[in-house]
């Protein structure tokens, strides 16, 4: 039986992530936790997130979870979702500039108010909210069974720009083409919400629960 | 190809039951919000809105259980509106599994509430619901005002200005209902929809008046809405969400099918 820890840092709706994980695998032991011990004992971790990055990071630190989380991100299959993806980078423009965990080199930028070349030059609304296509730019175990260019549910105002293009696993166009998914070794992170993306999202979560943490390209 | 326009069925819930008679063929219990939500999810609904029309505070608890149950089986975004007056109401709904809450009267009574809610929970889960009525006479430049209490109570607030202000206060999205059109099946107030959508940089959901699939198309094209909300057209089995999406797609608008 696999134990998956959904990291609870006291913000946002973690219940939908936990519910979706339980739905795709009734046998999985899903724990929503802020206990270091539970994180250490879990086979895999989900780092979800909504809200503001600064609040998220200070909540992690207040709970003294950062060192344990960093260790998990090094050696367990780990899935970052939305803010949980943005937090992995060095820096975000959010809150007039916020330092991230720096696990993946790169930064998060705010969408600019402009027209969208991907949607008939319509005015770009911010947040980017709704179902957009994700182009899988390389094979990965977490894409298994998910058709190319499937739509996932997004809601965010900042997007991730990794320093190395090689970590980009999926791309989406909204005003600009941005990284909708990044992957490196045992780490996979998505800007969209798989727990709110109906069948393709559930497929991705099911894939994650089966994943041994090996990047297919190795 | 880019972001899809969203089609959102709305369910009116009273004491935990869907009201305004859902008439699906082959559904076991058309009053059961979970059954109805699952059906819409299968048809391809992009989100669902639950509007709590329960009068008493005690009965409102039942909606929390409804949301909990739906959220365990339907994995698309869920918005809950009706009776959201304080941060505790929001916390309770989000914990139950809602992704967003719609704030209506409470925003008019105390706009600061919207700011506090957005700061505490993030703009992405704060929808401000605006009920607007045209107040300009024919021949005058069009103007709409905010009404509360089901369209009975004027507030003197200009709808477009109010939408701008709510955006500045941290609303992540506007749910815009034309009280002139609501329930008429005569189509959206397209001028209102367009005026608000063009005035603000956050997404606008058009609501009120849908009677045909072409009304949905117009709301997205002429009205420039980012999403369209409808109730009776789907509830009465006139059309499925999928039929709506195919029609919208035929009209050249991007949808998730």
């Amino acid at each position: 039986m696999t134990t998956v820890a959904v990291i609870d840092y006291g913000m946002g709706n973690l219940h939908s992530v936990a519910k979706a994980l339980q739905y795709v695998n009734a046998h999985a032991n899903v724990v929503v936790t802020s206990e270091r011990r539970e994180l250490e004992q879990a086979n895999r971790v989900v780092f979800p997130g909504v809200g503001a990055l600064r609040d998220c990071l200070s909540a992690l630190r207040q709970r003294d979870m950062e060192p344990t989380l960093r260790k998990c991100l090094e050696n367990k299959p780990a899935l970052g979702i939305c803010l949980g993806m943005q937090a992995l980078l060095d820096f975000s423009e959010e809150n007039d500039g916020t330092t991230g965990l720096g696990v993946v080199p790169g930064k998060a930028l705010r969408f600019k108010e402009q027209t969208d070349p991907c949607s008939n030059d319509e005015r770009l609304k911010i947040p980017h909210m709704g179902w957009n296509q994700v182009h899988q730019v390389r094979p990965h175990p977490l894409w298994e069974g998910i058709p190319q260019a499937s739509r996932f549910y997004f809601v965010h105002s900042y997007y991730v720009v990794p320093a190395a293009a090689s970590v980009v696993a999926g791309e989406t166009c909204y005003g600009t083409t941005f990284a909708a998914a990044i992957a490196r070794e045992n780490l996979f992170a998505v800007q969209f919400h798989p727990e709110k993306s109906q069948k393709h999202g559930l497929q991705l979560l099911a894939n994650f629960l089966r994943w041994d943490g090996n990047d297919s390209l190795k | 190809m880019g972001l899809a326009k969203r089609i959102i069925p709305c369910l009116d819930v009273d004491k935990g039951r869907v009201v305004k008679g859902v008439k699906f063929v082959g559904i076991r219990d058309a009053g059961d919000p979970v059954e109805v939500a699952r059906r819409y999810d299968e048809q391809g609904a992009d989100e669902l809105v639950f509007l709590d029309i329960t009068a008493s505070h005690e009965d409102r608890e039942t909606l929390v259980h409804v949301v909990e149950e739906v959220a365990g089986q339907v994995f698309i975004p869920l918005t809950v509106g009706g009776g959201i007056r304080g941060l505790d109401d929001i916390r309770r709904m989000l914990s139950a599994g809602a992704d967003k809450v719609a704030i209506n009267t409470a925003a008019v009574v105390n706009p600061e509430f919207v700011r506090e809610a957005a700061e505490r929970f993030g703009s992405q889960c704060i929808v401000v619901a605006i009920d607007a009525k045209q107040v300009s006479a024919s021949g005058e430049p069009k103007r709409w005002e905010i009404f509360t209490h089901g369209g009975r109570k004027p507030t003197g607030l200009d709808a477009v200005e109010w939408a701008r202000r709510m955006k500045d206060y941290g609303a992540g999205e506007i749910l815009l209902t034309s009280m002139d059109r609501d329930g008429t099946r005569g189509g959206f107030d397209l001028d209102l929809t367009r005026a608000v959508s063009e005035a603000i940089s956050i997404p606008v959901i058009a609501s009120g008046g849908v009677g045909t699939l072409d009304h949905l198309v117009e709301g997205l094209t002429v009205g420039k809405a980012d999403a369209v909300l409808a109730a009776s057209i789907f509830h009465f089995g006139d059309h499925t969400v999928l039929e709506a999406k195919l029609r919208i797609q035929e009209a050249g608008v991007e949808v998730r099918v």
Side-chain angles (χ1 to χ4, degrees):
Chain A
M1 188 175 70
T2 187
T3 296
V4 53
V6 178
I7 297 168
D8 178 10
Y9 44 90
M11 300 175 57
N13 180 6
L14 309 171
H15 306 272
S16 44
V17 181
K19 278 179 171 174
L21 288 164
Q22 201 67 78
Y23 183 84
V24 297
N25 186 345
H27 302 296
N29 181 26
V30 182
V31 289
V32 177
T33 184
S34 54
E35 295 290 322
R36 276 177 294 165
R37 238 171 62 95
E38 284 194 298
L39 269 184
E40 281 159 12
Q41 286 169 352
N43 306 106
R44 54 193 74 234
V45 297
V46 175
F47 184 22
V50 291
L53 182 59
R54 180 166 294 167
D55 296 343
C56 155
L57 292 171
S58 68
L60 272 176
R61 283 166 191 150
Q62 263 170 26
R63 288 167 166 74
D64 200 17
M65 292 171 77
E66 190 184 331
T68 317
L69 173 62
R70 282 182 183 278
K71 207 168 285 171
C72 290
L73 295 174
E74 272 168 29
N75 59 25
K76 291 177 185 179
L79 177 65
I81 298 174
C82 195
L83 193 68
M85 176 200 210
Q86 296 179 5
L88 299 176
L89 292 127
D90 298 314
F91 174 81
S92 169
E93 286 186 343
E94 199 173 345
N95 302 121
D96 298 320
T98 303
T99 303
L101 294 173
V103 172
V104 177
K107 58 197 169 177
L109 305 178
R110 191 178 162 83
F111 283 115
K112 291 188 178 55
E113 299 206 2
Q114 59 175 92
T115 55
D116 184 9
C118 323
S119 301
N120 304 322
D121 280 320
E122 278 191 33
R123 178 180 179 180
L124 204 69
K125 297 283 182 109
I126 302 167
H128 173 218
M129 185 185 282
W131 300 77
N132 208 336
Q133 290 181 306
V134 175
H135 300 274
Q136 301 164 21
V137 297
R138 66 172 169 93
H140 191 281
L142 265 66
W143 291 140
E144 211 179 294
I146 299 172
Q148 181 60 274
S150 292
R151 288 187 186 273
F152 290 87
Y153 187 81
F154 289 83
V155 50
H156 61 124
S157 301
Y158 295 80
Y159 63 96
V160 155
V161 184
S166 57
V167 301
V168 178
E171 285 180 341
T172 293
C173 184
Y174 192 64
T176 180
T177 298
F178 69 90
I182 57 176
R184 194 189 66 196
E185 296 161 352
N186 60 308
L187 201 60
F188 198 87
V190 291
Q191 181 60 69
F192 52 83
H193 289 271
E195 75 280 14
K196 287 290 155 185
S197 296
Q198 223 214 10
K199 59 180 184 225
H200 300 314
L202 296 176
Q203 178 69 51
L204 190 138
L205 293 177
N207 293 343
F208 173 68
L209 289 178
R210 278 196 298 266
W211 186 35
D212 63 4
N214 281 314
D215 197 309
S216 63
L217 291 187
K218 276 204 293 190
Chain B
M1 297 288 273
L3 184 64
K5 301 288 185 182
R6 289 168 283 151
I7 315 303
I8 308 175
C10 176
L11 304 174
D12 284 358
V13 179
D14 185 11
K15 295 176 189 156
R17 303 283 294 170
V18 180
V19 292
K20 276 197 193 170
V22 176
K23 289 180 187 162
F24 287 144
V25 182
I27 195 161
R28 272 179 299 157
D29 179 0
D32 177 6
V34 182
E35 282 255 0
V36 177
R38 281 173 50 174
R39 184 60 62 95
Y40 283 139
D41 176 44
E42 284 163 17
Q43 291 180 2
D46 294 311
E47 300 190 22
L48 292 173
V49 170
F50 290 92
L51 200 57
D52 191 10
I53 57 167
T54 308
S56 80
H57 196 70
E58 302 79 68
D59 289 332
R60 212 163 262 147
E61 265 317 292
T62 56
L63 188 71
V64 174
H65 302 301
V66 166
V67 171
E68 265 171 8
E69 219 183 314
V70 172
Q73 300 181 45
V74 172
F75 298 96
I76 56 175
L78 308 174
T79 300
V80 178
I84 302 291
R85 299 210 159 77
L87 295 177
D88 278 345
D89 296 325
I90 300 177
R91 187 174 297 112
R92 200 173 313 125
M93 287 305 170
L94 297 182
S95 304
D99 300 283
K100 314 179 199 179
V101 293
I103 305 173
N104 191 340
T105 308
V108 177
V109 173
N110 175 22
E112 283 300 321
F113 173 47
V114 173
R115 200 195 296 275
E116 285 168 25
E119 275 172 13
R120 177 65 187 84
F121 302 102
S123 290
Q124 82 290 334
C125 64
I126 306 301
V127 181
V128 170
I130 295 180
D131 292 343
K133 254 188 198 179
Q134 190 175 330
V135 291
S136 49
S138 65
E140 285 176 9
K142 283 201 176 178
R143 224 176 63 77
W144 300 265
E145 235 177 63
I146 307 292
F147 280 68
T148 57
H149 298 81
R152 293 189 305 275
K153 203 172 155 191
T155 63
L157 297 164
D158 179 80
V160 176
E161 274 312 306
W162 181 247
R164 275 202 195 103
R165 192 164 157 210
M166 289 296 96
K167 183 250 164 198
D168 292 341
Y169 276 44
E173 195 170 27
I174 298 291
L175 169 55
L176 177 66
T177 303
S178 161
M179 300 310 285
D180 300 310
R181 299 303 178 92
D182 203 27
T184 65
R185 301 192 130 219
F188 294 117
D189 183 334
L190 297 171
D191 290 331
L192 167 68
T193 306
R194 186 171 188 142
V196 173
S197 191
E198 288 186 335
I200 55 175
S201 57
I202 55 176
V204 172
I205 306 168
S207 156
V210 174
T212 70
L213 297 182
D214 288 331
H215 290 154
L216 297 172
V217 175
E218 288 167 5
L220 298 167
T221 54
V222 185
K224 302 224 161 193
D226 301 281
V228 282
L229 180 133
S232 55
I233 186 176
F234 298 132
H235 295 342
F236 298 147
D238 300 359
H239 298 287
T240 64
V241 177
L242 179 61
E243 282 168 16
K245 286 188 158 184
L246 293 174
R247 174 69 63 86
I248 293 165
Q249 193 174 43
E250 263 173 36
V253 177
E254 225 174 313
V255 285
R256 177 181 71 108
V257 285

